[in-house]
Amino acid sequence: MSLSIGIHDLSFATGEFVLPHTALAAYNGTEIGKYHVGIGQESMSVPAADEDIVTLAATAAAPIVARHGSERIRTVVFATESSIDQAKSAGVYVHSLLGLPSATRVVELKQACYGATAALQFAIGLVQRDPAQQVLVIASDVSKYELDSPGEATQGAAAVAMLVGMDPALVRIEDPSGLFTADVMDFWRPNYLSTALVDGQESIGAYLQAVEGTWKDYSEQGGRALEEFAAFCYHQPFTKMAYKAHRHLLNYCGYDTDSDAIAGAIGQTTAYNTVIGNSYTASVYLGLAALLDQADDLTGKPIGFLSYGSGSVAEFFAGTVVAGYRERLRTEANREAIARRKPVDYAAYRELHQRSFPTDGGDHATERQTTGPFRLAGISGHKRQYETR
Ligand code: CAA
């Protein structure tokens, strides 16, 4: 009999500030309907000067450690495409900030927005080998495009932390997975750039190709039929993309692409992404959080997950919602993580965007801005300094 392994807990954090798309539209003269309707975004999270992927990740993971303790966590997998070091895993800083046991393996994973799904699947493999252990999977990213580029409207920042283990309280992850890899240059960030490069229309096309490719493989591997799924959590670089993807999947499978049916399958997964913006590898799991927080009872129902990471690697898999999941949700905390953000005007956002972390090798303190539990205090002797507030 196969073991029941999956997501036992899920918690997220986002940045200190928020820029409404109305402010971006007023600055660049875009008709607001393009943002609100055309790409389906209302606002985007903006990290404070003293926040980064580590502080967001620690903030997301701390409530999980507080609830479950750390005794069974023997692995931390940190997925990101906005890494802060070429050698050291951002997860080691989080391990230290959270006081996790030294008997832990910690590693960082990268494949654009797909990284967290690789982390989840690898975590399941580890738990299969040693069912007593739990794995802390963290997805944390700051999405940054060049100012005044089309991508500027699709930025954001967030971290999702998930505890993966046996007999999960939220979602049991199933076999098989549908897999797809294609060598495309739709979106990438060379080491010498702080903002991503993207061919917007090519990236949308590459995503849709990956939807087809993963579904084809998922079906060939003996996966569920499309009509069995109660909802679909897609990677959401902007929430309209989930609608495009699901319409494409229905078309590919020969189904009607009725707008109400698409909204029924996707609608409850977009609430957090629409106000947080693109959180890269965390985004598909923010979709899951929004779905579980809002939907009527999903007990026993299969959810489809489509994880896409530019470049590109994608995976389609299913998860079944577990009885009693509603008592374990963090709905209030999730809403508070969004509501606590302070709105910034366009000038303040632009100033934060243009800041870059010092690269001159000197010692620099970071301005105190965040009101979150952890902060990046500065850099000293080429070492990032983190502190608990
Ligand atoms: N009212 C309503 N809708 C409007 C409108 C208005 N006034 N004006 C325009 N629109 C609609 C357009 O018709 C279009 O809709 P469709 O896509 O359904 O045709 C939509 O708004 C967007 O308009 P454009 O295509 O003209 O927008 P753009 O050229 O400014 O670029 C973008 C949009 C390509 C998403 C750009 O923001 C971008 O490059 N973003 C980054 C790349 C990205 O997110 N790619 C997604 C796939 S890659 C991926 O998923 C990995 C990842 O995380 C990056």
Side-chain angles (χ1 to χ4, degrees):
M1 202 183 80
S2 72
L3 300 176
S4 173
I5 303 174
I7 303 169
H8 191 51
D9 198 358
L10 187 157
S11 159
F12 74 78
T14 187
E16 178 76 9
F17 300 120
V18 57
L19 180 76
H21 275 74
T22 46
L24 179 61
Y27 167 79
N28 64 18
T30 296
E31 151 61 33
I32 192 63
K34 172 170 173 178
Y35 293 154
H36 285 175
V37 181
I39 61 169
Q41 289 304 130
E42 285 175 22
S43 58
M44 51 198 184
S45 289
V46 179
D50 51 352
E51 289 179 327
D52 69 1
I53 56 164
V54 168
T55 65
L56 293 177
T59 306
I64 289 186
V65 175
R67 184 188 273 181
H68 305 275
S70 57
E71 297 74 26
R72 291 178 59 193
I73 298 175
R74 288 183 57 80
T75 304
V76 177
V77 190
F78 194 112
T80 187
E81 57 181 297
S82 28
S83 192
I84 51 154
D85 195 287
Q86 291 289 358
K88 179 165 174 153
S89 166
V92 175
Y93 294 107
V94 175
H95 176 275
S96 167
L97 286 169
L98 298 183
L100 298 181
S102 59
T104 311
R105 65 165 77 80
V106 181
V107 70
E108 186 168 309
L109 279 189
K110 174 182 69 186
Q111 176 31 57
C113 307
Y114 168 71
T117 296
L120 173 62
Q121 296 293 353
F122 297 168
I124 290 168
L126 286 169
V127 175
Q128 235 149 19
R129 202 172 76 163
D130 173 13
Q133 83 157 272
Q134 295 174 323
V135 179
L136 182 61
V137 168
I138 301 176
S140 184
D141 269 312
V142 174
S143 161
K144 232 177 144 182
Y145 293 92
E146 218 178 311
L147 290 167
D148 305 318
S149 72
E152 187 179 8
T154 59
Q155 302 174 108
V160 168
M162 295 184 279
L163 191 63
V164 177
M166 274 274 291
D167 299 326
L170 299 180
V171 178
R172 183 169 58 79
I173 302 298
E174 298 176 358
D175 279 339
S177 280
L179 305 174
F180 181 80
T181 289
D183 183 5
V184 286
M185 293 303 281
D186 59 329
F187 166 106
W188 69 107
R189 183 170 67 81
N191 285 344
Y192 51 85
L193 290 183
S194 62
T195 51
L197 298 171
V198 64
D199 180 332
Q201 297 311 323
E202 180 168 354
S203 71
I204 293 171
Y207 185 133
L208 298 179
Q209 277 300 112
V211 170
E212 278 182 35
T214 54
W215 181 261
K216 182 171 178 292
D217 187 50
Y218 180 71
S219 303
E220 286 169 4
Q221 299 296 321
R224 291 175 179 273
L226 198 66
E227 55 273 17
E228 289 180 48
F229 292 98
F232 292 80
C233 295
Y234 285 90
H235 167 53
Q236 295 173 30
F238 51 95
T239 64
K240 188 75 176 292
M241 189 68 222
Y243 288 82
K244 284 179 190 289
H246 197 58
R247 183 178 299 276
H248 193 80
L249 180 60
L250 291 177
N251 262 322
Y252 177 71
C253 295
Y255 286 88
D256 285 345
T257 51
D258 172 64
S259 296
D260 290 343
I262 296 174
I266 303 302
Q268 288 177 312
T269 69
T270 59
Y272 296 155
N273 287 290
T274 202
V275 292
I276 286 175
N278 195 356
S279 56
Y280 288 160
T281 197
S283 102
V284 62
Y285 301 101
L286 282 180
L288 172 64
L291 176 70
L292 296 180
D293 284 347
Q294 294 181 103
D296 291 342
D297 191 6
L298 288 167
T299 301
K301 300 207 169 138
I303 309 297
F305 293 84
L306 186 285
S307 178
Y308 174 74
S310 288
S312 68
V313 178
E315 179 161 346
F316 186 95
F317 61 99
T320 301
V321 181
V322 172
Y325 76 97
R326 286 179 133 173
E327 286 94 77
R328 312 312 298 269
L329 295 178
R330 298 179 177 276
T331 310
E332 211 175 300
N334 292 346
R335 291 182 179 151
E336 177 55 21
I338 289 169
R340 69 179 282 279
R341 297 173 303 169
K342 299 183 190 69
V344 280
D345 61 18
Y346 185 81
Y349 144 77
R350 202 171 168 98
E351 198 269 321
L352 279 163
H353 191 289
Q354 283 170 325
R355 274 175 195 233
S356 55
F357 204 63
T359 53
D360 61 1
D363 293 357
H364 300 275
T366 312
E367 194 180 321
R368 285 184 182 277
Q369 289 186 340
T370 184
T371 56
F374 304 100
R375 66 181 295 272
L376 170 60
I379 188 162
S380 173
H382 294 283
K383 297 169 193 144
R384 285 188 177 228
Q385 308 294 320
Y386 291 97
E387 62 188 26
T388 303
R389 282 183 64 256

